[in-house]
Amino acid sequence: MTAAILSALLGHWRRNPLQLLTLMVGLALATALWSGVQAINEQARSSYDAAAATIGEASYSQITAQDGGPIPQQTYIALRRAGWAVSPVVEGRLDTIRIVGLEPLTAPRDLGPVRLGNGVDLGDFLSGAGQIFARPDTLARLPQTGAALQPTPDVAPNTALTDIGVAQLLLERFDQIDRLIVLPDQPITQQPLAQIAPELIQTDPQQGGEVAQLTESFHLNLTAFGLLSFAVGLFIVHGAIGLAFEQRRPMVRTLRALGAPLVRLIALMAVELAALALIAGALGVALGYLIAAALLPDVAATLRGLYGADLSGELSLRPSWWLSGLAIALGGTAVAAFGALWSLARMPLLSGAQPRAWVMARQGSGMAFAAIMLLGLAAALGIWGTGIVAGFVMLGALLIGGALVLPPFLSLLLRLAEGQARAPITQWFWADTRQQLPGLSLALMALLLAMSANVGVSTMVSSFRLTFVGFLDQRLASELYVSAESAAQADAILAVAEDKADVVLPLLWVDRLVAGQPAQIYAARDHATYRENWKFLHAVPDAWDRLARGDGVLINEQLYRRTELDLGSEITIIPGRTLPVLGVYGDYGNPIGQVIVTEPLFSEAYPEVRALRFGLRVGPDKVAPLRDALRTDAGLGDAAITDQSTIKAMSLAVFERTFTVTAALNALTLAVAGFAILMSLLTLAAMRLPQLAPVWALGLTRRKLALLDLLRAVVLAALTATLALPLGLALSWALLAVVNVEAFGWKLPMYLFPLDYLRLGGLTLVAAALAALWPAWKLARTPPTQLLGVFRNER
Amino acid sequence: MLLRLTDVTKNYAGNEKAVLDHVSLDLEQGDMLALTGESGSGKSTLLHLIGGLDSADSGRVVFDGIDLTPMNDSGRAALRRGSLGVIFQQFNLIPSLSIAHNIAFQARLAGRHDPSMVRVLVERLGLDDHLNKYPEQLSGGQQQRVAIARTLAARPQLVLADEPTGNLDEATADNVLALLQDLVIENGASLILVTHSERLAARLPRRAYLRAGRLT
């Protein structure tokens, strides 16, 4: 019996290959977009994890110099003698490669590949010319040092791990250590750090890598995009399954009338769908791999440029990724099919199928109600909600509510247009368009989501770009930035700068806990550079003047949002001395809090901290002579001098990469929505003949009908765009002002880009017209005999 | 002469025999002709050729002095809009339009919309209470009356009715046909009625019988 039922069920797909294609391609595309984005994210995260494991930031306390400079080897020895279980690390960049030198006898056993029992010969590692562990592509870029090169895929991308001696040799930092890793097991009695080395500071292990925190915003947005793309694809699947089940209702009735048990019928249909979902899911995961492989180089370049995060440009296949891709395909199909299976299970044996229009009309009012409830929920969460979960629930409610409101919204607009129409063909056009809504609504919802995602993500990325460029203008106001390696070199820089630069701005900071949060306290010299370029989010009147008098401090947005601090709140930055908050400034991309005090106050509080970095203001024509003088007179290398315009150009180049990724995802999502429209129109084409034949018989040519069908698709896309724009902007606002704040502690200002929206609208109309072109062409070429078939009862 | 068919032949791909085989027919203005025949004899096909919905393989179809044979799609569409009215067995109303708009649709296409005439037709056909409804809300008999009103409101020269009462019970069919005849006469139009029913055919002044594609 099972075979007989299956044969009858599968016969439907044989007779409707286009529907099967729609289902499979829709599901494959949905899975591909989701798993492609997930692949990129997983690859990035694994790279951060590898980096964190290599340099030990995530798990261990660290000891560093308060001024950020190197730690003398003698200090390390003094600490060991005083009972401190610490292990030295030398770290620096050789060209673009990060060199990390460890001391394997004292380093924690789980750090990097240098661990016993891991196939590593400790003797070789320590003796002779040493060994360097890195990925093959990194090893290929290293200069010849005589050390044995050991290809090791476990090491983070663009990172080379070696013995501390080899690293000091490579980086030319003899007898210097950059930081000390504090082992978890310390002796019960030991001298306090402040007594042995007061110039050093110990920081607690971080909950996650700094890079991982910084880039989380980027990945969160990518994930949101992937989810939206999946939702777009799911609408296609929902449409295809819904149509297939509706068309199979009579067959199901017949099978039941012939004695097939309902439970078995439903079970077989579920199995049939699961099998199709697995095939389509496998195709989708493979396609997702191709998408990820194509996008990864740009994503890697973006992350490296934006956050200094090293990410391998090569994609590795992971079993978990395959499984999650297949699971989401199965889950998506289950969600899409549940309603159809449920309604089939509840269908009385003797009931006839209800007229489609009436069913849809009833569904329409239900949809409008659900949409209003969801949009109301989104608004309520936007006003009163707190926490990241509320942010995501708001996003979901906004998107689903927006999608559900589309059919009633379009129906209302079309009804109004029909009422205004005077000519009969125009009137029929609007009425007929309204009649097509139920069949097209899922595809149009997919288009709405695709467009909203485009508007939302583009607005967010472009706002981020504008804000970040403006922020760079604030922060990189000085024409040159220079770093000294020692106090003597700092003096040399100052000597040159006094003569050749207009203004010298020392960059001084210390890491401290402020209001219970990890923060940096910065010193600002009273100068127009800060007054003219730094923008406050909130500030008291004359904030700069009061700061210069030492009457208060400025804090960044992160500290403002994470603590109870506000204007006028008192902060203790020196024991026994509290100062009020005078202003809050934007500090985009910084994961931790920041406090700015005036330079004299900073010097009073932290007299031991010397400035080793400086911003130098100079006229544009004097930049080159100043740079030359710093090279020759202060002995600075190129790496120690950073040109403001170079950094800005690099930042802009990074954003262009980001735009490439966003544009590619935008195009893919829009293409998926276009595909949904095409498939819906092709499916509807056969069902439309009885509606079109009478109009043709009454005197409209097939060509005109085809042109009207083409116009219909464009008009529906245009009307959908009118809803997509506000929805997309709301989405963007939710991402920028709610999710970002909850997740990362800073709020991005939102800018509008009307020209971009116009271009997107144009692209959408083109996509809709292209999707409608083939069905319209087919209609124009429909033989009259086929149209007559509608009327003919005999020949 | 309103309509002249000369040696019209039509066949469909896959058929061994022609559906219409050298059919000739004349119809004067005001004529009312009943066309009967067995299933598959070509009655509907003949009606479609006259209505410009299909084209003959050979022979000529001349309507009001215009030869339909060489006409393109646009020309035939214009003829259907302006001079002909077709009533189908399945009614073929436009599902997206209300009954009021369905009735006025063809007249407005032809540029001959006369609200007073529509009102008369609506009243005569008993459709007053249904004007704001949609086709799927009406019974078969009601839909057929709407189809008749739609055709006559456009005041065509020739009404082509393909089994217009095929889905109706006998009493309703009699009423509908009587009404159709009256209205055709009042409008000075001509009528070709395709029917299986000898009883209904007998009520029209002229009759023709199609057998195996030939007119007798």
Side-chain angles (χ1 to χ4, degrees), chain A residues 357-358 422 424-425 427-428 431-432 434-435 694 696-699 701-702 784 788 790-795, chain B residues 12 39-40 43 53-54 73 77 80-81 88-89 92 94-97 101 105-106 108-109 134 136-137:
Chain A
W358 293 111
R422 291 288 163 259
I425 295 175
Q427 195 172 44
W428 169 75
D432 187 57
R434 196 155 56 83
Q435 198 186 30
W696 168 75
L698 293 178
T701 61
R702 289 168 291 165
L788 284 170
V790 174
F791 313 122
R792 187 177 289 125
N793 303 304
E794 55 174 331
R795 262 188 193 171
Chain B
Y12 292 107
S39 292
K43 301 186 297 290
L53 294 164
D54 206 350
D73 215 17
R80 287 200 298 276
R81 278 200 301 274
F88 300 99
Q89 181 181 357
N92 294 104
I94 298 171
S96 53
L97 294 180
H101 287 133
F105 190 75
Q106 193 174 3
R108 293 171 69 193
L109 275 183
Y134 284 82
E136 63 193 6
Q137 294 170 273

Side-chain angles (χ1 to χ4, degrees), chain B residues 138-197:
Chain B
L138 300 190
S139 69
Q142 288 166 333
Q143 287 195 48
Q144 191 57 288
R145 279 183 275 154
V146 175
I148 291 169
R150 177 178 70 182
T151 301
L152 294 176
R155 281 176 287 162
Q157 286 175 274
L158 175 59
V159 175
L160 304 169
D162 189 1
E163 299 274 10
T165 56
N167 285 338
L168 307 178
D169 62 69
E170 208 166 85
T172 312
D174 283 346
N175 286 337
V176 167
L177 184 60
L179 201 54
L180 179 62
Q181 274 181 283
D182 288 349
L183 292 169
V184 165
I185 292 166
E186 284 170 24
N187 282 289
S190 305
L191 171 69
I192 297 180
L193 172 75
V194 166
T195 180
H196 272 107
S197 165

Side-chain angles (χ1 to χ4, degrees), chain A residues 410-486:
Chain A
L410 288 179
S411 181
L412 181 71
L413 286 185
L414 294 172
R415 196 182 288 275
L416 288 174
E418 187 186 341
Q420 294 298 312
R422 291 288 163 259
I425 295 175
T426 318
Q427 195 172 44
W428 169 75
F429 173 80
W430 293 119
D432 187 57
T433 305
R434 196 155 56 83
Q435 198 186 30
Q436 302 316 308
L437 268 187
L440 282 171
S441 61
L442 282 170
L444 291 172
M445 284 184 199
L447 182 69
L448 177 86
L449 285 183
M451 280 196 73
S452 305
N454 270 303
V455 169
V457 176
S458 302
T459 302
M460 185 187 67
V461 172
S462 298
S463 294
F464 189 39
R465 182 195 199 192
L466 265 187
T467 309
F468 208 76
V469 169
F471 173 68
L472 286 180
D473 281 337
Q474 289 176 27
R475 290 300 168 91
L476 302 176
S478 299
E479 281 69 24
L480 282 183
Y481 288 88
V482 291
S483 303
E485 288 183 357
S486 62

Side-chain angles (χ1 to χ4, degrees), chain A residues 297-320:
Chain A
D298 281 325
V299 172
T302 301
L303 292 168
R304 189 176 303 123
L306 267 181
Y307 307 109
D310 280 314
L311 180 64
S312 171
E314 288 171 13
L315 196 63
S316 52
L317 276 171
R318 295 159 213 277
S320 63

Side-chain angles (χ1 to χ4, degrees), chain A residues 216-367:
Chain A
E216 204 52 44
S217 168
F218 187 86
H219 292 302
L220 181 73
N221 295 328
L222 270 185
T223 304
F225 212 135
L227 201 60
L228 277 173
S229 306
F230 184 73
V232 169
L234 215 55
F235 273 99
I236 304 176
V237 177
H238 196 284
I241 290 178
L243 186 65
F245 275 58
E246 188 174 324
Q247 289 182 350
R248 287 208 283 197
R249 282 167 80 101
M251 183 178 70
V252 170
R253 251 200 325 266
T254 307
L255 285 172
R256 286 185 63 196
L258 293 175
L262 178 65
V263 174
R264 190 172 305 188
L265 263 174
I266 298 290
L268 284 174
M269 285 175 135
V271 169
E272 173 202 36
L273 278 178
L276 291 175
L278 280 177
I279 297 168
L283 284 172
V285 173
L287 192 60
Y289 178 81
L290 295 178
I291 291 172
L295 292 179
L296 195 60
D298 281 325
V299 172
T302 301
L303 292 168
R304 189 176 303 123
L306 267 181
Y307 307 109
D310 280 314
L311 180 64
S312 171
E314 288 171 13
L315 196 63
S316 52
L317 276 171
R318 295 159 213 277
S320 63
W321 179 53
W322 274 96
L323 288 174
S324 69
L326 291 178
I328 198 141
L330 273 174
T333 308
V335 168
F338 178 77
L341 283 171
W342 178 253
S343 113
L344 216 57
R346 289 167 56 90
M347 182 178 76
L349 183 56
L350 292 176
S351 82
Q354 284 180 289
R356 187 175 171 84
W358 293 111
V359 175
M360 291 297 175
R362 252 210 332 268
Q363 283 176 348
S365 56
M367 254 190 209

